[in-house]
């Protein structure tokens, strides 16, 4: 049956549209270009004023680059300001006082939107007259609009403030953002207008942009794309710039494609299956291309914006990490913190991450990772009543194999990152998976498939959230983490508007994965657990998430690396001695607050652009001051605790020198002391000191060995055997130094030459180091191809024995740079210890370094063949290939180690210990320690200047073992020398050795501290517990199921395991006996391979 209405005749030709031409046409409608005045941008505003009758600007330019708080700033000296003025220089602050009077014409009074448009090309923040930050106003179109309160239509003048900071969101980089900052950048105020916007035009602008993307990006053969193109052209045909009533008709056309629900949050309530969960986020690097001081303001302006958006968009959920930033905000912006707290309670502002900062996970020691969590979770719980369950490190440069275990111990079972999408060799194969630690602990890991944590909610990012997902068989959902980031910012209103339209498009047309807002990241993971059988259906990834980029970050900014290592160790020592002093001296109170302050500094500097070395010079100026503060205050804390035990820094009559050993095993070492008598002095040392042999039979306190007899059988000698050939020799090793390098290292007890024939050890080598772009971050694989050995050494004899001898090698690196390497060997001072300083070649290298794009490393070849090398990592070791079989093996051409790296066969090996380095490589039979780099961006002076570093070559029989682990601890943990009254030394020693470990030697008590909330310790952020306790961190260092017994001479009431946050778990049964007249408690413990466990001992 045919229709009567279908005409019989047709004389009206209709063309099939030439797709490409019509597709190009749609760019005209909302983009800049010659037709802009005749298209949508021309009608966005109904009215705009900036004259003196309506907008009055005054400014207070703060002197001396200071950043005063609101209260101070409003009392500054204000002067009139105007559009077109430039403000500077870089890093200066300008407070604007702005008075507005809304015109009283209908176009203003009838409008239900009122905006202030601001463009100063830098970062700004709006404050009300009470000093509450209302929102950020960030230049270059990032966040240029502040919605003016509609009450201000009353015809009166109204006042507000804008704090403008003379830096862009990404600092003040000279031309390129990662170049060192330009110190004299000026910012022109180009816009300060009061605007009555046209709401239909703004809505149409967003509609059109998305439909145009659908036309361009959806499958070109699909009806969805073809209809989108038609819709766009229909809108353009309907639009008349001279008749704003056509805007309503245009919106009817766009809604035919996007659906009718897009103007409100109801759009998400269609009940249809969701594939993409959008979560607002704002990545604020705690310091990077700006200093810490600017970050404090970035948090205020970024988070104020989010509170405002949460109140305007009920579906908005904002996830935000880093307890440190919350703490700054709480102290400096208490009224904003109160507003945030309300939205935390409403479930809309979601704190996430559990750690103090978004830390590096390669270099921090195990205990520092724990403290990141302890500090972070305690802050969140004490301020918001809850802990985080998701560790959030979207931007950190690779992930240690112990992260899952530390997460679980800190109450977190989920992990989010996406950085591995930056790998420049291998594509990481998973998006949603179980990530498994060295000890077998797992976390549920999601890597947002859009490959970004700063999504601007582009069309392609929504579609990639499924398209790029690598585990679609197991999980059909992706998290879309959106909001301007790195320099702060976060989601904007247009982003939230776009998301509503994407959802409308998916429901109404399809093809684009359906997106939803209104879920938190935690709810996303909850859903993931539910739909994957608690993760059992997901694939697994075991061990390190090695980041195949940014390999230079193990080495760049050498002083910061050293500051980190030193500080971690100092705080270990302080907690050890302060704990024991506080439990045995009534008059000494555990300085919890002062210790916590220092841990906060150490954890802060572990931020992922500080410790890795990728920040600007200002960041390192700050970091070095902070490390100096830790060193000074930590030393003071140690001294006070030592004094409480009866240890004095000065010698007195009747006192003996002693050394405090904070490690849980006996030590025997050669130490340089002042004012020692001839009975204990064994050799003269520098600075009028004398070497003495200090020894302990248990942990705690070392005493000088009286009347050491140094005979030929135990001494070390140094001889010049030829023009440029020197020999260091002790009963264990014979070291030949020829032309400045070690040409032979002979192990006498094993009758084995350690070096391959024709090679040299402690051989310095300079690599050309010009990575593709990220200078401070990257060292690229081709750097290995262009290298040269340093030669031309001047060699001389240093110390001459009998217990320490050395050879000094001096070499010129260039006209400006040189190094001096002291190769030392000790005599045998112990018959009992497995490894002492006589077992290794101890090298101190001093470098004056002024190079460009060069990488200094030192090589140690060894006659050892193995396909894997071992490297110390947090609470254990990691094995990595020594070859380049596959691209995955090659990718690890530069890796991270802690105190040691080892290359071993089953029967023999060589360990390289270090005191402050993290970069290492083992290629075949060459071990190579990375010493200094010289990138010029973003810090133009990174690593220039003077450096002193220590490392040692330790040949050993058998494979890597616990004696080596202990030796590397000894190498890093200094013995601190004091004086003790003769009659007091024994009781001091008893206190310091109140906790000892018996059993397998691979078990290590790595930290001893007081319980966080003990009655005499807690700070009141949590209810005090009516108890006194010590907390012990214990781990297996080699990878074997281990049993041991803790021996405690303090009176024990209770012993139990806790998690890392010190929540009590299983109780441990113990026994008490009288031994040598003392009551001693024996607490049996056991750990799985590479397990870190925490034992709490409650004392009577
Ligand atoms: Zn970052």
């Amino acid at each position: 049956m045919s229709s009567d209405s279908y005409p019989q005749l047709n004389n009206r030709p209709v063309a099939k549209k030439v797709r490409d031409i019509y597709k190009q046409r749609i760019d005209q409608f909302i983009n800049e270009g010659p037709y802009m005045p005749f298209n949508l941008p021309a009608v966005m505003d109904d009215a705009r004023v900036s004259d003196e009758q309506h907008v009055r600007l005054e400014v207070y330019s703060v002197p001396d680059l200071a950043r005063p708080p609101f209260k101070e700033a409003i009392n500054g000296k204000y002067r009139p300001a105007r559009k077109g003025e430039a403000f500077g220089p870089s890093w200066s602050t300008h407070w604007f006082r702005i008075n507005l009077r809304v015109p009283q014409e209908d176009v203003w009074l009838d409008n239900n939107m009122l905006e202030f448009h601001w463009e100063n090309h830098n970062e700004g923040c709006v404050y009300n007259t009470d000093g509450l930050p209302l929102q950020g106003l960030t230049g270059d179109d990032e966040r240029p609009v502040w919605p003016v309160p509609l009450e201000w239509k009353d015809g009166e003048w109204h006042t507000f403030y804008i704090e403008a900071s003379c830096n862009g969101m990404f600092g003040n980089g000279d031309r390129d953002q990662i170049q060192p900052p330009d110190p004299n950048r000026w910012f022109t105020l180009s816009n300060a207008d009061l605007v009555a916007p046209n709401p239909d035009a703004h809505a149409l602008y967003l509609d059109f942009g998305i439909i145009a993307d659908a036309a361009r990006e959806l499958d070109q053969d699909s009806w969805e794309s073809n209809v989108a193109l038609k819709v766009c052209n229909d809108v353009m045909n309907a639009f008349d710039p001279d008749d704003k009533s056509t805007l309503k008709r245009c919106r009817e056309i766009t809604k035919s494609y996007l659906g009718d629900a897009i103007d409100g949050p109801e759009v998400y309530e269609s009940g249809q299956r969701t594939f993409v969960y959008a979560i607002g986020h704002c990545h604020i690097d705690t310091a990077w291309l700006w200093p810490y001081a600017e970050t404090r303001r970035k948090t205020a302006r970024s988070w104020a914006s989010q509170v405002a958006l949460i109140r305007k968009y009920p579906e908005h959920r904002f996830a935000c990490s880093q307890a440190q930033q919350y703490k700054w905000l709480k102290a400096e912006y208490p009224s904003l913190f109160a507003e945030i707290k309300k939205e935390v309670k409403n479930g809309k502002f979601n704190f996430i991450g559990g750690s103090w900062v978004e830390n590096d996970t390669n270099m921090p020691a195990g205990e520092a990772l724990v403290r990141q969590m302890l500090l972070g979770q305690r802050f969140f719980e004490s301020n918001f009543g809850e802990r985080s369950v998701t560790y959030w490190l979207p931007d950190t440069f690779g992930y240690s194999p112990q992260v899952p275990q530390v997460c679980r111990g800190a109450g977190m079972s989920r992990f989010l990152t996406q950085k591995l999408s930056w790998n420049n060799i291998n594509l990481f194969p998973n998006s949603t998976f179980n990530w498994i630690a060295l000890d077998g602990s797992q976390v549920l890991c999601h890597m947002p498939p859009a490959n970004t944590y700063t999504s601007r909610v582009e069309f392609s990012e929504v579609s990639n959230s499924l398209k790029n997902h690598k585990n679609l068989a197991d999980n059909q959902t992706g998290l879309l983490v959106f909001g301007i980031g790195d320099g702060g910012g976060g989601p904007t209103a247009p982003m939230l508007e776009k998301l509503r339209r994407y959802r409308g498009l998916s429901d109404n047309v399809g093809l684009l994965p359906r997106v939803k807002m209104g879920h938190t990241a935690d709810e996303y993971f909850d859903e993931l657990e539910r739909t994957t059988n608690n993760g059992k259906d997901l694939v697994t990834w075991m061990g390190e998430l090695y980041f195949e980029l940014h390999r230079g970050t193990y080495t760049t900014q050498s002083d910061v690396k050293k500051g980190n290592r030193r500080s971690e160790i100092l705080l270990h020592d302080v907690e050890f001695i302060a704990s024991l002093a506080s439990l045995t001296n009534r008059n000494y109170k555990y300085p919890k607050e002062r210790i916590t302050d220092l841990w906060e500094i150490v954890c802060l500097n572990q931020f992922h652009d500080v410790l890795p070395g990728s920040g600007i010079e200002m960041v390192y100026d700050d970091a070095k001051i902070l490390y100096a503060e830790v060193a000074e205050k930590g030393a003071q804390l140690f001294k006070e605790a030592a004094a409480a035990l009866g240890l004095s820094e000065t010698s007195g009559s009747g006192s003996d020198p002693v050394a405090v050993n904070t490690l849980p095993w006996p030590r025997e070492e050669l130490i340089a002391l002042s004012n020692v008598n001839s009975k204990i002095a064994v050799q003269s040392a520098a600075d009028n000191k004398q070497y003495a042999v200090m020894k302990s039979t248990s942990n705690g306190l070392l005493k000088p060995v009286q009347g050491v007899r140094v005979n030929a059988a135990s001494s070390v000698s140094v001889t010049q055997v030829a023009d440029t050939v020197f020999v260091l020799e002790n009963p264990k090793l014979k070291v030949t130094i020829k032309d400045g390098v070690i040409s032979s290292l002979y192990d006498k007890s094993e009758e084995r030459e350690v070096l391959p024939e024709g090679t040299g050890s402690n051989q310095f080598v300079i690599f050309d180091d010009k990575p593709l772009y990220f200078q401070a971050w990257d060292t690229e694989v081709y750097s290995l191809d262009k290298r040269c050995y340093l030669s031309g050494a001047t060699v001389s004899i240093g110390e001459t024995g009998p217990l320490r001898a050395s050879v000094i090698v001096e070499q010129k690196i260039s006209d400006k740079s040189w190094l001096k390497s002291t190769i030392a060997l000790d005599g045998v001072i112990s018959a009992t210890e497995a490894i002492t300083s006589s077992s290794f070649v101890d090298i101190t290298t001093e470098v004056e370094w002024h190079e460009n794009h060069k990488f200094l490393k030192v090589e140690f070849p060894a006659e050892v063949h193995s396909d894997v090398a071992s490297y110390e990592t947090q609470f254990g070791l990691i094995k990595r290939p020594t070859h380049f079989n596959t691209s995955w093996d090659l990718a690890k051409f530069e890796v991270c180690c802690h105190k040691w790296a080892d290359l071993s066969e089953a029967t023999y090996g060589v360990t390289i210990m270090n005191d402050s380095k993290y970069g290492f490589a083992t290629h075949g039979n060459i071990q190579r320690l990375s010493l200094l780099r010289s990138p010029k961006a973003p810090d133009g002076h990174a690593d220039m200047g003077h450096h002193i570093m220590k490392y040692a070559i330790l040949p050993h029989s058998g494979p890597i073992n616990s004696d080596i682990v202990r030796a590397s601890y000894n190498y890093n943990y200094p013995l601190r020398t004091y004086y003790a009254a003769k009659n007091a030394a024994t009781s001091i020693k008893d206190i310091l050795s109140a906790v000892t470990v018996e059993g397998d030697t691979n078990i290590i008590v790595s930290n001893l501290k007081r319980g966080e909330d003990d009655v005499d310790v807690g700070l009141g952020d949590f209810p005090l517990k009516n108890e006194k306790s010590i907390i012990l961190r214990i781990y297996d260092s080699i990878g074997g199921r281990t049993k041991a017994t803790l021996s405690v001479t303090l009176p024990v009431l209770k012993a139990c395991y806790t998690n890392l946050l010190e929540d009590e778990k299983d109780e441990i049964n113990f026994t008490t006996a009288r031994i040598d007249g003392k009551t001693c408690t024996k607490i049996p413990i056991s750990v799985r391979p590479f397990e870190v466990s925490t034992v709490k001992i409650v004392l009577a």
Side-chain angles (χ1 to χ4, degrees):
M1 194 183 75
S2 73
S3 160
D4 290 342
S5 55
Y6 182 70
Q8 183 178 352
L9 302 178
N10 188 338
N11 57 9
R12 192 180 62 91
V14 176
K16 181 175 173 182
K17 300 214 166 27
V18 182
R19 184 178 169 92
D20 190 49
I21 293 173
Y22 281 81
K23 202 161 89 180
Q24 287 185 52
R25 177 199 184 200
I26 62 178
D27 290 344
Q28 293 178 1
F29 193 54
I30 55 174
N31 292 355
E32 287 181 16
Y35 306 118
M36 196 170 84
F38 313 100
N39 274 311
L40 188 55
V43 300
M44 299 295 274
D45 307 331
D46 287 342
R48 177 180 286 259
V49 290
S50 61
D51 60 282
E52 278 274 297
Q53 295 310 306
H54 302 100
V55 181
R56 288 186 189 158
L57 304 176
E58 296 168 284
V59 68
Y60 162 50
S61 293
V62 183
D64 305 326
L65 306 187
R67 293 177 172 92
F70 177 83
K71 277 200 178 107
E72 229 174 86
I74 52 171
N75 295 317
K77 242 178 130 178
Y78 284 78
R79 60 160 180 88
R82 55 175 176 76
K83 281 209 285 186
E85 259 191 83
F87 298 91
S90 310
W91 312 116
S92 63
T93 296
H94 305 267
W95 278 85
F96 291 88
R97 184 160 59 210
I98 298 164
N99 285 291
L100 293 185
R101 187 167 63 176
V102 178
Q104 295 298 293
E105 290 95 48
D106 287 351
V107 66
W108 293 90
L109 299 179
D110 294 348
N111 203 321
N112 61 3
M113 285 167 76
L114 199 54
E115 293 176 345
F116 184 68
H117 289 206
W118 177 260
E119 181 53 87
N120 197 20
H121 305 280
N122 56 19
E123 285 197 287
C125 186
V126 181
Y127 287 74
N128 68 14
T129 48
D130 295 331
L132 176 68
L134 298 176
Q135 77 153 70
L137 266 184
T138 301
D140 297 332
D141 252 359
E142 293 285 30
R143 196 182 303 272
V145 173
W146 175 56
V148 175
L150 294 177
E151 308 88 82
W152 290 14
K153 287 186 190 174
D154 59 4
E156 304 294 321
W157 284 100
H158 294 275
T159 307
F160 66 101
Y161 291 86
I162 294 177
E163 177 196 37
S165 315
C166 284
N167 53 267
M169 270 193 130
F170 289 84
N172 282 317
D174 193 2
R175 291 179 295 276
D176 182 304
Q177 73 178 33
I178 69 157
Q179 284 300 311
D182 172 356
N184 196 27
R185 218 174 139 196
W186 289 69
F187 298 84
T188 301
L189 178 59
S190 52
N191 208 353
D193 300 351
L194 184 59
V195 176
N198 184 303
D200 289 328
H202 282 262
L204 180 62
Y205 185 92
L206 291 159
D207 294 351
F208 190 92
I210 280 172
I211 303 170
D213 280 344
R216 283 186 288 256
E217 296 187 33
L218 291 178
D219 179 358
Q220 296 295 287
D221 295 330
S222 67
W223 69 262
E224 291 88 345
S225 162
N226 280 276
V227 171
L229 184 57
K230 178 171 170 12
V231 167
C232 287
N233 279 281
D234 287 350
V235 167
M236 291 176 79
N237 296 338
F239 174 76
D240 178 354
D242 298 323
D243 178 4
K244 289 189 183 175
S245 71
T246 58
L247 290 167
K248 291 226 178 322
R249 169 65 196 136
C250 290
R251 282 220 79 203
E252 282 168 20
I253 300 170
T254 55
K255 284 188 177 181
S256 72
Y257 195 81
L258 298 174
D260 290 327
I262 54 173
D263 291 327
E266 313 78 53
V267 71
Y268 295 114
E269 284 160 22
S270 68
Q272 306 254 49
R273 181 176 177 189
T274 298
F275 295 94
V276 182
Y277 291 83
I279 181 82
H281 178 54
C282 167
H283 188 71
I284 307 181
D285 286 317
T286 300
W288 178 32
L289 303 175
W290 51 87
Y292 289 132
E294 196 52 45
T295 304
R296 295 162 179 246
R297 304 202 291 193
K298 280 176 180 284
T299 57
R301 48 189 175 243
S302 302
W303 297 358
S305 303
Q306 299 314 312
V307 171
L309 284 176
I310 282 169
R311 288 169 185 172
K312 188 170 173 202
Y313 292 89
E315 72 270 34
H316 187 25
R317 297 291 180 276
F318 179 66
C320 194
S321 61
Q322 316 204 66
Q324 168 73 83
Q325 295 182 4
Y326 286 82
K327 186 176 175 182
W328 282 337
L329 192 92
K330 185 182 178 185
E332 290 157 28
Y333 303 88
S335 56
L336 177 58
F337 188 75
E339 296 302 311
I340 286 171
K341 235 174 142 166
K342 281 182 210 160
E343 298 308 334
V344 169
K345 212 167 176 196
N346 289 337
K348 297 188 171 181
F349 198 113
N350 313 132
F351 65 88
I352 202 161
S355 54
W356 190 242
V357 294
E358 283 187 19
N359 53 293
D360 179 74
T361 76
N362 286 314
M363 291 170 277
E367 186 63 19
L369 281 192
V370 172
R371 298 312 172 94
Q372 288 284 350
M373 307 296 190
L374 190 74
L375 290 171
Q377 294 284 40
R378 284 180 67 88
F379 181 89
F380 289 136
E381 193 177 4
S382 63
N383 283 277
F384 303 128
E386 274 180 79
R387 295 170 178 167
S388 173
V389 293
T390 304
Y391 195 21
W392 184 272
L393 294 181
D395 191 29
T396 293
F397 311 154
Y399 305 92
S400 141
Q402 287 290 42
V403 165
Q405 182 178 194
V406 173
C407 280
R408 297 311 295 262
M412 291 187 279
S413 55
R414 291 91 181 255
F415 180 70
L416 181 134
T417 179
Q418 70 78 45
K419 200 67 184 178
L420 265 53
S421 69
W422 288 36
N423 277 3
N424 72 349
I425 297 183
N426 296 286
L427 180 72
F428 191 76
N430 296 309
S431 301
T432 305
F433 59 100
N434 297 307
W435 179 24
I436 302 176
L438 286 181
D439 79 316
S441 299
Q442 66 169 355
V443 286
L444 186 52
C445 179
H446 181 65
M447 299 186 179
N451 290 345
T452 176
Y453 54 88
T454 56
S455 164
R456 301 211 167 209
V457 201
E458 300 300 340
F459 196 93
S460 59
E461 291 168 333
V462 176
S463 61
N464 283 341
S465 294
L466 267 200
K467 208 186 282 173
N468 278 352
H469 198 305
K470 302 185 189 76
N471 307 88
L472 283 173
D474 311 318
N475 168 31
Q476 296 80 38
T477 62
L479 206 54
L480 178 66
V481 180
F482 74 96
I484 301 165
D486 289 334
T492 60
M495 291 177 187
L496 291 156
E497 292 284 349
K498 281 170 79 176
L499 283 163
R500 288 178 176 177
R501 285 160 174 79
Y502 289 129
R503 174 57 181 247
L505 187 158
S506 302
D507 279 348
N508 201 50
V509 175
L511 220 54
L512 185 71
R514 206 172 285 111
V515 64
K516 178 152 191 198
M517 274 223 80
H519 279 64
T520 63
D522 290 339
E523 285 165 340
Y524 172 77
F525 279 105
D526 290 346
E527 181 72 13
L528 205 51
E529 275 179 22
R530 263 197 303 277
T531 54
T532 60
N533 194 13
N534 274 326
K536 288 194 193 82
D537 299 341
L538 294 174
V539 300
T540 55
W541 182 272
M542 184 123 178
E544 181 177 30
L545 290 174
Y546 178 84
F547 182 36
E548 298 180 355
L549 204 69
H550 295 3
R551 302 167 184 90
T553 60
Y554 319 135
T555 305
T556 309
Q557 300 287 0
S558 170
D559 288 347
V560 169
K561 267 72 172 172
K562 190 185 251 186
N564 180 64
R565 179 84 61 88
R566 290 284 175 284
S567 302
E568 288 173 340
I569 290 170
L570 176 57
L571 293 183
H572 164 277
D573 289 358
V574 166
E575 288 185 333
F576 171 83
I577 194 165
S579 296
L580 295 169
S582 68
L583 292 166
T584 51
N585 180 342
R586 231 176 265 268
N587 299 317
Y588 175 82
K589 185 173 159 42
Y590 189 75
K592 166 87 188 305
E593 190 166 12
R594 291 158 73 196
I595 292 174
T596 304
D597 287 348
L598 299 185
W599 266 118
E600 286 182 2
I601 291 175
V602 172
C603 288
L604 170 62
N605 277 350
Q606 289 174 347
F607 178 73
H608 66 257
D609 283 308
V610 181
L611 180 56
S614 47
I616 57 172
E617 190 167 8
M618 291 166 104
V619 172
Y620 296 102
D621 292 344
D622 287 346
K624 285 169 199 173
I625 290 169
L626 289 170
Y627 282 131
E629 184 184 336
V630 174
E632 190 197 324
K633 291 184 174 170
Q636 179 64 23
L637 286 170
F638 194 94
K639 195 169 94 177
E640 288 170 19
L645 290 173
L647 293 164
S648 162
E649 283 194 308
T650 49
S651 63
S653 63
S655 70
D656 281 332
V658 292
V660 178
N661 168 23
T662 62
L663 293 174
W665 47 74
R667 288 167 75 170
E668 186 163 5
E669 289 179 24
L670 197 62
I671 308 185
L673 297 171
S674 312
N675 307 323
V676 293
N677 64 44
S678 58
K679 275 191 201 154
I680 62 171
V682 292
Q683 182 182 332
S684 296
D687 305 327
N688 286 326
K689 290 185 174 178
Q690 301 283 317
Y691 285 118
V693 177
M694 303 288 279
K695 179 175 176 157
S696 61
T697 49
S698 69
N699 56 337
L701 206 63
L702 281 71
K703 293 183 190 167
V705 179
Q706 303 282 332
V708 184
R709 277 181 29 247
V710 183
N711 53 36
S714 57
S715 66
V716 63
S717 65
V718 56
T719 42
Q720 181 167 10
V721 295
D723 209 13
T724 63
V725 184
F726 297 76
V727 173
L728 289 164
E729 187 167 6
N730 73 11
K732 294 180 181 173
L733 298 172
K734 182 178 176 188
V735 186
T736 307
I737 296 132
K738 187 173 177 225
D739 298 327
V741 295
I742 298 172
S743 58
S744 165
L745 173 54
Y746 189 75
D747 182 336
K748 292 181 179 176
S749 41
E750 294 291 317
E751 297 178 359
R752 178 168 175 151
E753 172 58 49
V754 176
L755 304 191
E757 204 180 332
T759 66
S761 190
N762 197 38
Q763 168 73 63
F764 296 98
V765 53
I766 299 269
F767 292 77
D768 206 54
D769 195 22
K770 300 189 186 82
L772 294 169
Y773 176 66
F774 290 107
Q775 293 187 21
W777 292 257
D778 292 345
T779 185
E780 217 21 279
V781 62
Y782 51 76
S783 170
L784 301 173
D785 302 338
K786 194 170 175 186
R787 45 176 280 159
C788 68
Y789 285 135
L790 280 192
S791 58
T794 308
V795 188
S796 57
I797 289 175
E799 292 173 293
T800 52
L803 282 186
R804 180 157 297 170
S806 58
V807 166
I808 299 166
V809 177
E810 291 170 272
Q811 282 179 300
K812 206 170 154 179
I813 298 168
S814 69
D815 288 346
K816 293 177 188 163
S817 307
W818 52 263
L819 66 77
K820 180 176 162 189
S821 192
T822 303
I823 304 169
L825 193 63
D826 283 3
V828 175
I829 57 174
S830 173
T832 50
E833 292 300 302
I835 298 175
T836 67
S837 57
S838 60
S839 315
F840 54 79
V841 184
D842 189 13
I843 300 165
T844 304
T845 295
E846 200 179 330
V847 188
E848 184 66 29
W849 182 245
H850 299 279
E851 296 302 298
N852 293 319
H853 309 298
K854 301 287 181 202
F855 198 154
L856 177 67
K857 305 182 189 184
V858 59
E859 285 189 354
F860 314 96
E863 191 65 43
V864 172
H865 182 73
S866 172
D867 60 350
V868 290
S870 305
Y871 304 85
E872 189 188 35
T873 187
Q874 296 93 356
F875 304 121
L877 62 85
I878 175 167
K879 292 193 161 114
R880 301 188 181 101
T882 60
H883 54 77
F884 305 138
N885 280 4
T886 68
S887 59
W888 292 85
D889 301 323
L890 166 69
K892 295 179 181 170
F893 64 83
E894 176 87 8
V895 298
C896 184
C897 72
H898 285 197
K899 299 188 292 292
W900 57 264
D902 179 82
L903 179 64
S904 286
E905 300 168 355
T907 54
Y908 197 81
V910 175
T911 302
I912 306 300
M913 304 189 290
N914 75 80
D915 80 333
S916 59
K917 294 289 158 195
Y918 296 91
F920 207 91
T922 312
H923 296 168
N925 63 0
I926 295 176
Q927 295 172 281
R928 196 182 290 134
L929 180 66
S930 297
L931 300 181
L932 290 169
R933 299 187 66 223
S934 46
K936 302 301 169 196
D939 174 357
H941 305 105
D943 281 328
M944 297 301 98
H946 202 72
H947 304 272
I948 297 176
M949 48 207 101
K950 270 168 65 69
Y951 47 85
I953 311 166
L954 168 58
H956 55 86
S957 57
I960 179 76
N961 60 64
S962 56
D963 291 333
I964 294 162
V965 174
R966 289 183 173 201
S968 75
Y969 267 93
N970 291 347
Y971 195 69
N972 276 270
Y973 285 64
L975 290 168
R976 299 178 195 274
T977 53
Y978 281 86
Y979 293 91
K982 278 189 179 25
N983 54 5
T986 304
S987 64
I988 296 169
K989 187 203 132 286
D990 286 349
I991 292 169
L992 290 174
S993 58
V995 180
T996 55
V997 198
E998 295 152 8
D1000 293 348
T1001 54
N1002 46 329
I1003 206 160
I1004 288 183
V1005 177
S1006 62
N1007 287 78
L1008 184 159
K1009 67 188 280 290
R1010 292 292 309 273
E1012 287 287 312
D1013 300 307
D1014 281 2
V1015 64
D1016 60 328
V1017 168
L1019 300 178
D1021 44 349
F1022 286 87
L1024 294 182
K1025 293 175 181 159
N1026 190 22
E1027 63 189 23
K1028 293 185 175 187
S1029 67
I1030 48 179
I1031 302 289
L1032 300 172
R1033 202 90 55 216
I1034 299 167
Y1035 73 97
D1036 155 53
S1037 59
I1038 294 295
R1041 215 165 282 269
T1042 301
K1043 281 183 185 169
T1045 303
L1046 295 171
S1047 246
V1048 183
T1049 54
L1050 296 165
V1052 176
L1053 275 183
K1054 180 176 135 182
C1056 61
Y1057 290 105
T1058 73
N1059 65 9
L1060 298 175
L1061 305 178
E1062 302 176 18
D1063 300 331
E1064 292 189 12
K1065 304 279 176 201
D1066 297 343
E1067 228 176 282
I1068 309 172
N1069 293 323
F1070 57 84
T1071 56
T1072 301
R1074 300 277 300 171
I1075 297 171
D1076 299 336
K1078 280 180 282 188
T1079 304
C1080 186
T1081 300
K1082 301 277 182 189
I1083 304 169
I1085 51 167
S1086 63
V1087 291
R1088 286 178 282 110
F1090 296 124
E1091 183 188 6
V1092 51
S1093 85
T1094 306
V1095 172
K1096 174 175 173 177
I1097 301 171
V1098 181
L1099 302 168

